[in-house]
Amino acid sequence: MKAPIFTLLILLSSNSFADYYQAPMQEANWQVDRTKNTCFLRQAISQYGVAEFVQRAGQPLRFSVQEQRRKPLVMQASLKAMPAPWMHDQTSSFDHQVYSDSSTDIAAYGRLSVYGPAAETMIDALLQGQYPTFIYHRDAPVLNMEETRVAVSAIHFSERYQEFADCRNNLQTGQAISQPVSAKTKKIFKSKKKASQNQPAPAAANTNGQRAATTQPVKPS
């Protein structure tokens, strides 16, 4: 009787580990790009994809991670501002509401995003040396729901932030405004905190200018 229980415990532990992604310290750089009506602040995350802040004229700030691989649907997700990896004595912030953006562009990949006040909070966290971390689980059998963590590095962030801030201030159409999520796009990773702490977001656009098919909130991790 003991052997099967022990075997089950091994199976559970071996399938519950986290996939962890973060730009190596020496590669954690930020890049600012701009168009006439959009400002981008991006960090490449090796073996994963990209993290980015996107400010479009007339829209709330978006903060996202996008994996450059097609994988099963994300079922649970949250975002926290975590202490830097070498600071083990600090606690993380509360969960922020995360949206799953599905693209209409067949060449693009889905992404996880926060908007408006939550995205602005992540800028503050990075300026304070914290690491915004997306934590999520994909659609999979219960015994195989591996956790994925994507940490966005604060290294060199402050060096490029002012350029991004200047770009935002110079957008031709003026100050960004918040808009509610339409009823058709509601599939959300709900926050564990009060809904009032995280404002809903509008349907998003991809970095290549394509409109997103859905901007959906998802269950918290």
Side-chain angles (χ1 to χ4, degrees):
M1 186 66 181
K2 291 182 180 179
I5 295 176
F6 182 67
T7 301
L8 178 59
L9 289 174
I10 291 177
L11 289 172
L12 286 171
S13 61
S14 66
N15 287 285
S16 60
F17 66 87
D19 286 332
Y20 185 82
Y21 299 94
Q22 178 187 311
M25 184 175 297
Q26 66 276 17
E27 299 176 10
N29 295 312
W30 291 87
Q31 178 179 347
V32 177
D33 295 305
R34 66 186 72 194
T35 65
K36 182 178 180 180
N37 295 313
T38 310
C39 305
F40 303 93
L41 179 57
R42 296 189 176 106
Q43 179 181 94
I45 301 176
S46 58
Q47 299 183 9
Y48 181 82
V50 65
E52 65 178 4
F53 288 93
V54 179
Q55 179 67 74
R56 298 185 187 280
Q59 295 184 14
L61 179 68
R62 169 169 63 82
F63 175 54
S64 307
V65 291
Q66 188 164 16
E67 188 170 11
Q68 299 303 302
R69 294 175 61 189
R70 297 191 185 280
K71 287 189 173 182
L73 181 68
V74 173
M75 302 301 293
Q76 298 176 327
S78 62
L79 171 64
K80 295 183 178 182
M82 304 289 285
W86 54 87
M87 302 178 71
H88 303 293
D89 57 341
Q90 297 187 25
T91 58
S92 62
S93 68
F94 59 83
D95 292 353
H96 292 273
Q97 183 169 277
V98 174
Y99 290 79
S100 176
D101 301 337
S102 299
S103 174
T104 57
D105 180 1
I106 194 170
Y109 301 88
R111 64 177 177 241
L112 298 178
S113 306
V114 295
Y115 291 85
E120 302 287 355
T121 297
M122 293 303 107
I123 283 183
D124 293 335
L126 285 160
L127 289 172
Q128 295 167 12
Q130 295 179 304
Y131 281 48
T133 302
F134 285 85
I135 304 168
Y136 61 88
H137 295 82
R138 295 188 177 279
D139 186 15
V142 175
L143 294 181
N144 195 36
M145 281 193 70
E146 297 178 4
E147 180 182 271
T148 299
R149 292 188 175 225
V150 184
V152 180
S153 176
I155 296 175
H156 300 307
F157 179 79
S158 60
E159 298 172 16
R160 304 307 303 274
Y161 169 69
Q162 190 57 52
E163 185 179 353
F164 179 67
D166 291 343
C167 180
R168 295 181 71 187
N169 291 335
N170 292 329
L171 284 178
Q172 293 184 1
T173 55
Q175 185 176 3
I177 56 174
S178 295
Q179 300 176 6
V181 180
S182 79
K184 295 182 180 179
T185 65
K186 287 189 177 179
K187 184 189 172 197
I188 202 166
F189 301 112
K190 294 181 180 178
S191 170
K192 295 178 182 177
K193 294 293 181 178
K194 294 180 180 178
S196 60
Q197 292 177 328
N198 297 285
Q199 297 296 323
N206 287 321
T207 57
N208 61 8
Q210 297 285 338
R211 281 300 286 182
T214 56
T215 302
Q216 304 174 340
V218 202
K219 288 183 183 178
S221 295

